[in-house]
Amino acid sequence: MKNAQATLYQTNHRINWFQKFLLICSGGNIHILRKTPSEWNKFAGIGGIVFFTALFATLSATYAMFTIFDDIWASIGFGILWGLMIFNLDRYIVSSIKKTGTWWNQILMSIPRLILATFLGIIISKPLELKIFEKEVNKQLNTIIQRNKKDLQTQMSGRILQQSGPFETEKKQISDKIAQYQKSYDSASVELEKEILGKQSNLTSGKVGFGSNAKRKQELKEQRRQDLENYQKQVATRLEYLDKEISKVYSNLETERKSTETFEDKFNGFAARLQALDELGKNSAIIATAAAFIMGLFITLEISPVLVKLISSVGPYDYLLEKTENDFRLYAKEKIEKGNALTDFRIDDFKDQLKT
């Protein structure tokens, strides 16, 4: 009976290359799996899930990097690197779950792994969601760009009023002053005309012709004309300076606006697409539901190896794995005990030599 059991444990069954590849992907010990052919299907299924999860992670990261760098080869290289990292992490998550403990211990051991797997599923799903809804995302991106440009124009208008305000105020004051001089001159001209035509008013004599009153009104008109011209000459340089400063404000802000709009037109990176997808989800219940199902699909795909390992019954592989690990523990404990015993013997022998 013992010989039959030894023969059973030492038997190495043949595994084809595809089975071996999936078994390696599952994170199982290939040497133990050779002796437990009844476990191959379970571990091959787990390995297939791990492999395809890594494949989807590669595609996801490649697309995400392409939206950032716009370089296909750099994106492919980073995508492959990311896929390999996810592959190795998933293998570790699955292989670290032991089935030989109590059910409660297995649950406690699986909780952090399930949380990590869920987080990885969300990370993998987001870039693929962007690719699936690419047309809708591009349309929403255009809406966001136009909205940002409108906000930018509003900000620019506010800054124009703020920066050119003092110059505009002073220019208006000068214009009002010129208008007052002009009004005084026009009033003097009207009064002179009334005096010459003999129109009766509080300020005219009512006599037709160019008399003494008309002469005084002519002198007043000339004086007000000179006041107007003198003031216009006096403020001409200042008005020219104010016009230049106002024009400079408009020119600088227009240059800044064009430069900013150029950046806005390139608002199509990864974060911008995530923003567009988020707004699409808020505006459309259908897209929000579809995105939630896609995310749920990848979360399920990511946590399924852990769940399969958790709900499956204890099999020959688990017993052999526990036996192998226990043999090493016993071997290590034995070597430690022997080392301690030899050390104690040497210490006692040294003390005996000192006494003699």
Side-chain angles (χ1 to χ4, degrees):
M1 184 67 177
K2 293 183 179 180
N3 292 334
Q5 290 179 345
T7 303
L8 176 64
Y9 294 148
Q10 294 173 2
T11 301
N12 289 329
H13 301 273
R14 293 177 62 89
I15 306 175
N16 62 49
W17 67 269
F18 185 67
Q19 286 177 322
K20 185 176 181 180
F21 172 74
L22 293 179
L23 293 178
I24 291 174
C25 291
S26 70
N29 188 312
I30 195 68
H31 301 290
I32 297 177
L33 283 170
R34 288 183 184 276
K35 303 171 184 177
T36 56
S38 61
E39 299 278 65
W40 289 0
N41 287 336
K42 180 177 73 174
F43 279 85
I46 294 174
I49 296 174
V50 171
F51 171 73
F52 282 106
T53 301
L55 182 61
F56 282 125
T58 301
L59 297 175
S60 173
T62 300
Y63 176 73
M65 290 300 104
F66 185 74
T67 61
I68 298 173
F69 299 113
D70 201 23
D71 187 326
I72 184 63
W73 295 113
S75 302
I76 290 175
F78 185 88
I80 293 174
L81 183 64
W82 177 259
L84 289 174
M85 187 193 73
I86 296 297
F87 174 74
N88 188 61
L89 187 58
D90 283 345
R91 286 183 75 248
Y92 170 74
I93 291 175
V94 176
S95 63
S96 61
I97 298 177
K98 299 296 182 1
K99 292 294 299 177
T100 51
T102 63
W103 174 254
W104 180 244
N105 287 337
Q106 292 179 36
I107 292 292
L108 291 179
M109 186 169 51
S110 300
I111 288 176
R113 291 164 175 79
L114 288 172
I115 294 174
L116 179 59
T118 302
F119 183 67
L120 291 175
I122 295 173
I123 293 175
I124 294 171
S125 68
K126 277 302 175 183
L128 295 178
E129 288 179 36
L130 294 177
K131 185 59 179 177
I132 293 172
F133 299 112
E134 186 174 19
K135 293 181 180 179
E136 292 81 1
V137 167
N138 288 338
K139 183 178 179 181
Q140 186 64 27
L141 270 178
N142 185 60
T143 301
I144 294 174
I145 290 172
Q146 297 305 320
R147 186 176 66 214
N148 290 346
K149 286 184 177 180
K150 185 177 179 181
D151 294 341
L152 176 64
Q153 188 62 44
T154 302
Q155 294 175 9
M156 289 296 178
S157 299
R159 292 178 62 187
I160 287 174
L161 291 176
Q162 182 181 7
Q163 296 183 20
S164 65
F167 304 117
E168 293 284 2
T169 301
E170 185 178 353
K171 186 178 178 181
K172 186 177 184 302
Q173 292 173 349
I174 294 174
S175 298
D176 292 342
K177 189 72 173 179
I178 292 175
Q180 291 178 3
Y181 278 109
Q182 184 68 47
K183 185 177 180 181
S184 298
Y185 172 73
D186 293 341
S187 177
S189 298
V190 171
E191 291 300 323
L192 175 60
E193 183 179 358
K194 288 180 179 180
E195 183 65 39
I196 294 174
L197 296 176
K199 294 181 179 180
Q200 183 68 40
S201 70
N202 293 333
L203 299 176
T204 60
S205 62
K207 297 178 181 180
V208 179
F210 194 84
S212 57
N213 285 337
K215 185 177 180 181
R216 286 196 299 272
K217 292 185 182 300
Q218 174 68 28
E219 292 175 353
L220 179 61
K221 174 185 175 182
E222 183 64 22
Q223 179 62 44
R224 290 183 176 178
R225 183 186 66 78
Q226 289 180 1
D227 290 342
L228 174 61
E229 291 179 353
N230 289 338
Y231 185 73
Q232 286 177 331
K233 291 178 182 179
Q234 177 184 345
V235 299
T237 304
R238 185 62 181 175
L239 283 174
E240 183 179 357
Y241 168 77
L242 293 175
D243 287 336
K244 287 182 179 179
E245 290 299 316
I246 293 172
S247 177
K248 188 185 297 183
V249 170
Y250 276 87
S251 177
N252 291 340
L253 291 180
E254 181 64 18
T255 301
E256 182 180 343
R257 183 187 66 81
K258 290 181 179 179
S259 175
T260 307
E261 284 191 349
T262 301
F263 287 109
E264 287 294 338
D265 290 332
K266 298 178 180 179
F267 186 74
N268 60 351
F270 188 71
R273 291 180 176 276
L274 285 177
Q275 179 184 345
L277 182 63
D278 180 66
E279 292 187 6
L280 282 173
K282 292 178 180 177
N283 298 331
S284 173
I286 295 176
I287 293 180
T289 303
F293 274 110
I294 293 170
M295 182 185 298
L297 173 65
F298 281 98
I299 291 176
T300 303
L301 182 66
E302 185 68 33
I303 68 175
S304 56
V306 179
L307 293 178
V308 169
K309 196 75 176 291
L310 183 63
I311 65 178
S312 61
S313 59
V314 181
Y317 173 84
D318 302 298
Y319 289 121
L320 281 179
L321 179 63
E322 184 183 21
K323 178 182 180 302
T324 302
E325 292 179 348
N326 188 59
D327 288 342
F328 275 100
R329 281 194 296 269
L330 293 176
Y331 176 77
K333 185 177 181 180
E334 181 182 347
K335 296 296 288 185
I336 292 172
E337 292 295 335
K338 286 183 177 179
N340 291 337
L342 289 174
T343 301
D344 292 339
F345 175 77
R346 286 195 296 269
I347 292 174
D348 292 339
D349 183 61
F350 179 72
K351 288 181 178 179
D352 292 338
Q353 292 180 3
L354 289 177
K355 291 178 180 179
T356 59

